[in-house]
Structure formats: C-alpha cells, structure tokens
Amino acid sequence: MQKFQLQLLFQIIGVGSASGLVYKDDTLYLISDNSGYLYEYNLPTSDLKKHPLFENPTENIPKPIKPDFESITLFGDHCYLFGSGSTPNRNSLMQWNTQSKTVISKKDLADLYLSMQAFEDIDTDNFNIEGSIYDGKNWYILNRGNGNKPKNVIFTVAGKNLTSEFSLLSNVFDLPKINGYNSSFTDAICVDDKIYFLAAAENSNSTYLDGEVVGSLVGCIDIEKMTIDFTQKISDTHKFEGITLFHDSKDQIEFLLCEDNDTEILASGIYQLTLNK
C-alpha cells in the first residue's frame, strides 16, 4: 500500500466543474468542461482571472453544445487544451500562451481522434480523451475507458503535428476496480521517467452521462516500460479530474488535484495529495 496524505487546500470561487489544471510560478491555470474560459489563479494573492477561449464565451454551456475541454497540459509558455472527442463538436485543440494571455492557435483533431479509434478499435461511444502530456517530442494522450466497452489507453503520438503528419503507438491498461466499479483514466502528468495518473469510478457506463461517483485512485506508470508501478485508492467520494506537480523532494512528491463536481455551482476545491517515495 502506498502511503499518502490528501487534504483540501483551498476553494476557488468562480470556477465550476474543474476538469484539469497545471501549476507554474505560483499560478494555477484551470479549465472547466462546460466553460468557454481558461482560468488563471494566483496562489499568494487568491486573485482569479478568466480568459476567453473564443468569441462570446459563457460559463455553464449546455451539455449538447459545450466544447468539453477535459485535458490541459503545459510545455514552456504554452497551455494545450484538448476537447474530449466524445461528440463531433468536442474535437478542438487550443494553444494558449501564458505570456500574451491569448489563444495563438486552434486546431481540429477529428482526423487524429478517428485514427486513434481505428488504431485501438474503439467506437465513438467509448472514445473519451481525458488526459494529455507533452514532453517536447512526444504526446501522451489518455482515453478514459468509461463507456459500455471500457478501454483505458495511453496513445503515444509523434510527428510534425497532430493534424496531418503523426504516428501512433498505444498501450492498454487494466485498472483496479473501486468499490466494485470499473475505474478509468481522468488525467496524468509526467515527472522524470514516470507518468502519475488519476482514475475515477462512477455508477455509469456512458462517456456522455454522469453517474454516481464511487471513488478515485492515483497510480504510477513507468514511461519506458509502459507498466504500472502502483495504484492507490485515495477517495470513496471524490471524482478527481486534474493533477499537476506542486513540489518534488527526495522523500515526497506533492500534487495539486481538482474535482469535477458535475454541478452548475461555480466553486472548485483544490486538494493537495502527498505521496511518500
């Protein structure tokens, strides 16, 4: 059993249904799966700013038309926001610059997502991108296996771009059940040669409809071998959907987590997860 500590660190009022976060220089950048904004939260001052991702953005966008940004990853001065791909209007990739505070590119990932589905024989009802990592060379993109034919997959994507010139590798993972229910990827981050990931379980077999939350776990994957080093249940009640590195020391590693509460309430709890090495 992996020793861990989990505590609510603070709440951010003004951000609801947080689905991903990254941390850099005392600042959290957060996304919400039903919002048209990227949120910037300064930890020392508790100041919250929201940056529009497209014209006339709103919060609490209705489910059938929302872009469903479920994943954010940071590389250098750029945040990359991925739509889940679970419906045709959820295929966008936004590149947002942390210096200019603006969107500098928007791409349609329909071809990439279709290639992923064909590569791993995943039908549209079981395709649901929930995590992404970029190391400057390769992308690691996680499919959440929470449909009626669950398949938790990490796709390794290389090439000149993600729209027309790319190559794919894939690894499928069997994740442990949480309280009798299948768990599935919700986010991940790379630290050195390890991928630390979150997985959650719900009483639902749909990538579109939410179900009763029955818990979350954290795990670690050796990125070279693509094998799981460990998993550890961390909650029976929370659906954690975002993980980012907070502090890394000789004896411990600390992450910040965000929770998707699946409501229209504009408040998000930020949790600190500490693992012993």
Side-chain angles (χ1 to χ4, degrees):
M1 179 178 292
Q2 187 75 19
K3 291 185 178 180
F4 74 95
Q5 294 178 331
L6 179 69
Q7 61 177 327
L8 177 63
L9 206 57
F10 53 85
Q11 275 205 327
I12 302 178
I13 306 301
V15 182
S17 297
S19 55
L21 76 171
V22 292
Y23 174 74
K24 180 183 180 183
D25 300 332
D26 288 329
T27 299
L28 277 177
Y29 300 98
L30 302 102
I31 52 172
S32 165
D33 63 13
N34 60 1
S35 174
Y37 294 95
L38 184 145
Y39 300 91
E40 178 183 3
Y41 182 81
N42 184 271
L43 270 66
T45 65
S46 301
D47 180 50
L48 177 67
K49 298 177 181 177
K50 55 184 186 180
H51 305 282
L53 295 172
F54 40 78
E55 290 186 4
N56 303 315
T58 60
E59 292 163 304
N60 288 323
I61 300 171
K63 196 179 190 79
I65 62 172
K66 68 179 184 178
D68 201 32
F69 291 116
E70 288 283 4
S71 170
I72 180 172
T73 188
L74 176 71
F75 184 77
D77 292 329
H78 300 279
C79 292
Y80 299 89
L81 288 61
F82 287 78
S84 68
S86 55
T87 65
N89 60 299
R90 300 177 176 184
N91 293 334
S92 295
L93 168 63
M94 295 278 194
Q95 184 178 355
W96 189 85
N97 187 270
T98 60
Q99 300 299 313
S100 65
K101 314 294 184 184
T102 58
V103 174
I104 61 173
S105 73
K106 177 183 178 180
K107 295 182 173 65
D108 185 345
L109 297 183
D111 288 344
L112 174 66
Y113 284 178
L114 287 171
S115 297
M116 288 176 168
Q117 292 172 49
F119 197 80
E120 265 301 335
D121 192 24
I122 302 173
D123 60 32
T124 55
D125 290 337
N126 288 277
F127 189 74
N128 189 16
I129 296 304
E130 292 261 351
S132 59
I133 301 166
Y134 184 50
D135 63 7
K137 180 181 178 181
N138 294 317
W139 296 86
Y140 302 94
I141 301 176
L142 285 73
N143 183 70
R144 182 182 182 189
N146 63 327
N148 55 14
K149 297 178 181 178
K151 187 177 282 190
N152 288 292
V153 185
I154 295 182
F155 292 95
T156 303
V157 188
K160 292 184 178 180
N161 56 59
L162 294 176
T163 54
S164 60
E165 297 182 58
F166 56 82
S167 62
L168 289 175
L169 293 174
S170 65
N171 295 89
V172 180
F173 294 88
D174 285 326
L175 301 182
K177 291 187 175 183
I178 301 175
N179 298 324
Y181 293 88
N182 292 329
S183 66
S184 50
F185 286 137
T186 56
D187 200 15
I189 186 171
C190 186
V191 182
D192 297 326
D193 58 351
K194 304 291 185 181
I195 292 176
Y196 290 87
F197 67 88
L198 294 174
E202 295 178 82
N203 184 6
S204 172
N205 62 355
S206 170
T207 62
Y208 186 79
L209 299 175
D210 298 315
E212 176 193 3
V213 175
V214 294
S216 292
L217 61 81
V218 67
C220 181
I221 292 171
D222 184 295
I223 202 167
E224 183 176 344
K225 298 177 182 177
M226 279 294 175
T227 54
I228 295 177
D229 288 344
F230 71 83
T231 61
Q232 173 64 54
K233 185 174 71 170
I234 57 174
S235 174
D236 291 311
T237 56
H238 298 89
K239 185 172 81 170
F240 291 116
E241 289 214 356
I243 183 169
T244 188
L245 180 65
F246 192 35
H247 294 124
D248 189 8
S249 65
K250 179 182 178 181
D251 299 320
Q252 293 182 324
I253 186 166
E254 299 174 6
F255 301 98
L256 297 180
L257 312 183
C258 66
E259 179 184 16
D260 186 353
N261 50 28
D262 289 331
T263 71
E264 295 184 357
I265 299 173
L266 296 180
S268 293
I270 303 299
Y271 293 77
Q272 181 177 327
L273 173 66
T274 303
L275 300 177
N276 290 345
K277 289 185 174 178

